[in-house]
């Protein structure tokens, strides 16, 4: 069974803090952690129930967010 509980994304490095605050503002649907600040690589930890909502939020932010495949 493939449980979706992580979303990897790339944003401009100067947008990481804004992304973190926006995700927190959505009733803590996910938790953002920076994996590589220079590259703008982050991981958003979610629950299987919030995965789709967070994915849609990321795709509709006022700045570009590229959702990428698992980087592990």
């Amino acid at each position: 069974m493939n449980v979706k509980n992580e979303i990897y994304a790339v944003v401009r490095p100067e947008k990481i803090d804004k992304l973190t605050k926006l995700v927190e503002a959505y009733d803590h649907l996910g938790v953002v952690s920076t994996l590589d600040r220079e590259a703008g690589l982050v991981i958003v930890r979610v629950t299987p129930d919030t995965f789709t909502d967070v994915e849609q939020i990321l795709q509709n932010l006022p700045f570009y967010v590229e959702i990428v495949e698992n980087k592990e």
Side-chain angles (χ1 to χ4, degrees), residues 5-65:
N5 59 3
E6 298 174 335
I7 300 172
Y8 290 85
V10 176
V11 299
R12 291 188 3 226
E14 63 269 18
K15 297 294 185 186
I16 293 174
D17 290 333
K18 186 163 195 91
L19 173 66
T20 301
K21 289 176 182 171
L22 286 169
V23 171
E24 287 175 356
Y26 277 99
D27 277 337
H28 297 280
L29 291 179
V31 176
V32 178
S33 297
T34 303
L35 298 177
D36 184 339
R37 180 165 285 285
E38 287 182 18
L41 180 63
V42 298
I43 183 172
V44 184
R45 291 183 173 85
V46 297
T47 65
D49 292 341
T50 63
F51 182 90
T52 302
D53 291 335
V54 173
E55 190 174 49
Q56 289 176 352
I57 289 166
L58 294 177
Q59 294 170 346
N60 291 289
L61 290 175
F63 52 88
Y64 182 70
V65 177

